[in-house]
Amino acid sequence: MKIRKAVIVAAGLGTRMLPASKVIPKEILPVIDTPAIQLVVEEAVASGIEEIIVVVAPGRTKVIEHFQPAEELERHLEERGKHDILEIVRRPNKLARFTIAEQAKPLGLGHAVLQARDAVGDEPFAVMLPDDIFDCPRPCLGQLIEAAVAREAPVVALLRVAHSEIPKYGIVAAKTAGERLFELTGMVEKPRVEEAPSDLAIMGRYVLTPDIFELLAEGKPGKGGEIQLTDALMALAARRKLYGYEFEGIRYDLGDRAGFIAAQVGFGLKRPDLAPRLREYLKSIVS
Ligand code: G1P
């Protein structure tokens, strides 16, 4: 099994980050100075991905512009000999090959992934949700790919969450299958705490096999009237073994205001150019 393509779903309306996301797609909002979607693409490339398919809402092409040359800006920097900044500006263009798929209507995550069917074709692929950003010793997607290759099977990222968080996620029923590895026997999209089969939540990284597409195409609206990826995964688990991998590392939820701030602080404290001042500042205000 070789995973060459990743689908990044960037078609949401970003309602949880309004008003910031009114004009700017939320995937362009930065973690410090880098758009969230660039961090996701960097994670994909570090995990061996060569081609990125970005699913966008109609007209929301700003997300992809970030990975295209900015001629005027580049000329300006070149003329002034600002080669280090030029390198930073050009970096996104060189990361991977990009394709766009449009989701005409916001009919759910599963429906968004289905729009990438032609671009993916008949091979296993990754799905990445840019609300979820990771700080891991090895790229989160890479950890999943390793497990998927070892088992020749689809794998989703798992994280144990507090009970109060359970209704925000797809929650799995699972049995241990190895170190950090679970065989998934059931899953529910955003259950009430009383209905949840466990506290293991699906995070926004998936390695999938192309047979998921026909299940998505047959899929009926589920939770919230949307075509849910979780429902198609449940159907997939009835056909073949499906695994969950409790990844090693930290995850930030950029789709949540507090998570967005936590990511700025967490990543800031890892940056040698920022950490000393940031630490001082945090000390001065938290006491
Ligand atoms: C989606 C999935 C959910 C998963 C979550 C991870 O939900 O539907 O199963 O747990 O991503 O972030 P969303 O956050 O898009 O509502």
Side-chain angles (χ1 to χ4, degrees), residues 54-236:
V54 189
V55 183
V56 300
R60 299 284 268 187
T61 49
K62 277 248 164 341
V63 184
I64 210 77
E65 272 172 43
H66 182 67
F67 299 95
Q68 293 165 347
E71 281 163 26
E72 214 161 297
L73 174 62
E74 289 180 29
R75 201 176 323 115
H76 175 90
L77 294 169
E78 200 145 26
E79 280 166 14
R80 280 158 186 76
K82 301 203 164 166
H83 297 293
D84 45 345
I85 308 178
L86 192 59
E87 214 20 67
I88 292 171
V89 170
R90 283 184 176 156
R91 185 178 153 71
N93 322 349
K94 299 185 207 150
L95 285 170
R97 265 201 320 280
F98 289 89
T99 308
I100 297 188
E102 260 193 16
Q103 185 188 26
K105 287 190 182 146
L107 298 180
L109 174 60
H111 180 260
V113 172
L114 183 58
Q115 308 315 305
R117 186 179 199 166
D118 288 346
V120 168
D122 193 25
E123 59 181 288
F125 65 104
V127 171
M128 307 175 85
L129 309 185
D131 270 356
D132 289 329
I133 292 288
F134 298 87
D135 177 14
C136 298
R138 289 176 298 135
C140 182
L141 181 63
Q143 296 182 40
L144 259 55
I145 289 178
E146 218 170 274
V149 168
R151 299 279 170 149
E152 287 281 318
V155 178
V156 307
L158 293 179
L159 178 70
R160 280 193 198 281
V161 296
H163 278 183
S164 58
E165 296 279 289
I166 280 177
K168 287 170 62 178
Y169 299 104
I171 304 290
V172 302
K175 55 183 193 206
T176 303
E179 212 193 322
R180 294 182 172 270
L181 193 69
F182 296 87
E183 188 182 328
L184 305 187
T185 53
M187 66 201 71
V188 197
E189 180 66 11
K190 304 192 173 83
R192 295 208 310 263
V193 178
E194 317 82 75
E195 297 164 338
S198 74
D199 60 353
L200 280 169
I202 302 175
M203 293 295 128
R205 298 292 182 271
Y206 310 75
V207 176
L208 301 176
T209 42
D211 45 347
I212 193 80
F213 287 124
E214 61 191 71
L215 298 169
L216 287 169
E218 287 164 8
K220 307 233 166 1
K223 189 89 182 180
E226 298 187 337
I227 307 280
Q228 295 291 350
L229 180 57
T230 304
D231 294 341
L233 286 172
M234 191 58 226
L236 189 68

Side-chain angles (χ1 to χ4, degrees), residues 10 20-29 60-63:
S21 53
K22 182 178 169 188
V23 176
I24 303 166
K26 68 172 176 188
E27 297 80 11
I28 295 285
L29 296 177
R60 299 284 268 187
T61 49
K62 277 248 164 341
V63 184

